[in-house]
Structures are given as C-alpha cells and as structure tokens.
C-alpha cells in the first residue's frame, strides 16, 4: 500500500510511461466498487489519470504533447487467473469475485511526443496533489543513456532527468 510504480522509456523524441498504482492510493479503497459513490470516485480518478501532463509536469521547453493516454482499473483476480491456470476458480464464480481478491490497481499507459527531448530535465509529480493517499512512486527510467531507478516521495515530488537524456 502507498507505493505506485512508474516506468518511463525515452526513445528519441518519444516518452512512453506506464503507471501502476494501488486503488487505495488513487481512490482511498481497494475493494470492488459497488456503491454509486465508489463507482463515481473511480470514474473521476480515471479521468484524472487520462491527463498525464497534469499529473507528471514536464518543462514547457520540452514541448511535449500527449499522443496516447489510457487508464483502467484492474482487479488482482485478472492477474491470478493467468498465473495459476485457473484450476480452482470454478467453485466461486459469481460469488463477489472481485471482493474476494480485495485488491484493485489502477493501470495507465501514456505516450508523449516531445519537440525538444533535451529540455526534458525533470518531472514534477502533481500526482501527489491529485491523489492525497499516494505517498511514494518507484520510478524506473530507461533511455539510451542506460537505466535508473528512483523513489519519488510526497515530500519531494520531483524527478531529475537531466543526466538521462
């Protein structure tokens, strides 16, 4: 809980980003949403997650635009079914399957095109302002300069990219 994962790949003028965040970080709960209020929170969160440059603010000089942005909510069940072959899932089909899993995760993928990739020197994480329950994001960046991993925390919501491009 409290830790999201952001993978960033920089290739030429393109920046691909993939975010995985626990449901608790984004909407304050991880159970399957049933009430109208919970579903509305998820819908609102997906709208926010679909605007990557509002969450991960890059320098204007980099001239980045969003080419593609997708956000969705996944339940842990979806992952489990693939791993264990789904052998014993028949006996509890239809019995609040999502609630049994108990964990939901938001997943978002972004593709940015930047006019001046060399100006992409930092990313400010407005993500923490948008999602008050989020405490930390583990960031991995891969570029032609190599790979690096870094933790960005709520009290220091900045990621320095100046040595990576």
């Amino acid at each position: 809980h409290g830790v999201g994962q952001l993978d960033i790949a920089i290739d030429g003028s393109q920046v691909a980003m993939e975010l995985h965040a626990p449901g608790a970080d984004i909407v304050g709960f991880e159970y399957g949403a049933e009430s109208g209020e919970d579903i509305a929170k998820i819908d609102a969160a997906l709208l926010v997650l679909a605007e990557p440059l509002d969450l991960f603010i890059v320098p204007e000089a980099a001239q980045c635009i969003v080419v593609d942005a997708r956000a969705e909510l996944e339940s842990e069940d979806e992952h489990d079914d693939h791993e264990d072959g789904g052998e014993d899932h028949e006996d509890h089909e239809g019995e609040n399957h999502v609630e049994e899993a108990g964990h939901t995760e938001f997943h978002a993928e972004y593709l940015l095109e930047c006019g001046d990739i060399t100006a992409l020197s930092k990313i400010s994480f407005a993500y923490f302002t948008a999602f008050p329950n989020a405490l930390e994001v583990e960031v991995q960046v891969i570029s032609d300069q190599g790979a690096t991993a870094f933790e960005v925390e709520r009290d220091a919501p900045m990621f320095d990219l100046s040595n990576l491009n």
Side-chain angles (χ1 to χ4, degrees), residues 12 34 37-38 44 47-48 108 111 143 145:
E34 291 184 2
E37 185 183 342
D38 286 351
L47 288 174
V48 173
L111 182 61
S143 71
Q145 303 298 313

Side-chain angles (χ1 to χ4, degrees), residues 2 4 7 37 44 52 59 70 93 113 115 135 138:
D7 297 321
E37 185 183 342
R70 282 190 294 260
E93 282 303 317
E113 179 75 42
L135 302 177
E138 292 177 357

Side-chain angles (χ1 to χ4, degrees), residues 14 19-21 35 39 41 70-71 95 110 114 121 137 153:
Q14 291 196 323
L19 174 71
H20 291 272
S35 73
I39 291 168
K41 282 182 186 173
R70 282 190 294 260
E95 294 178 20
Y110 311 122
C114 299
S121 56
V137 177
E153 298 182 347

Side-chain angles (χ1 to χ4, degrees), residues 6-158:
L6 179 66
D7 297 321
I8 302 172
I10 301 171
D11 184 19
S13 63
Q14 291 196 323
V15 180
M17 302 168 75
E18 187 169 354
L19 174 71
H20 291 272
D25 282 18
I26 303 298
V27 289
F29 58 86
E30 293 196 352
Y31 51 81
E34 291 184 2
S35 73
E37 185 183 342
D38 286 351
I39 291 168
K41 282 182 186 173
I42 288 170
D43 289 345
L46 290 172
L47 288 174
V48 173
L49 286 168
E51 299 293 339
L53 293 178
D54 291 345
L55 296 175
F56 307 106
I57 299 169
V58 298
E60 270 186 50
Q63 303 163 22
C64 296
I65 58 165
V66 178
V67 178
D68 190 25
R70 282 190 294 260
E72 63 186 1
L73 180 66
E74 300 174 339
S75 74
E76 212 168 66
D77 270 6
E78 293 171 27
H79 302 297
D80 292 346
D81 285 345
H82 301 299
E83 289 165 22
D84 66 12
E87 293 142 23
D88 64 350
H89 286 290
E90 293 79 33
D91 54 28
H92 38 242
E93 282 303 317
E95 294 178 20
N96 295 335
H97 211 38
V98 173
E99 273 187 52
E100 279 180 33
H103 290 291
T104 54
E105 179 180 78
F106 284 85
H107 176 228
E109 291 182 31
Y110 311 122
L111 182 61
L112 310 179
E113 179 75 42
C114 299
D116 183 1
I117 198 75
T118 59
L120 185 61
S121 56
K122 65 184 181 192
I123 299 175
S124 301
F125 278 65
Y127 171 85
F128 293 112
T129 307
F131 302 114
N133 295 322
L135 302 177
E136 181 181 310
V137 177
E138 292 177 357
V139 181
Q140 288 188 29
V141 180
I142 298 171
S143 71
D144 54 8
Q145 303 298 313
T148 188
F150 191 79
E151 289 180 356
V152 178
E153 298 182 347
R154 170 174 286 284
D155 55 3
M158 176 73 68

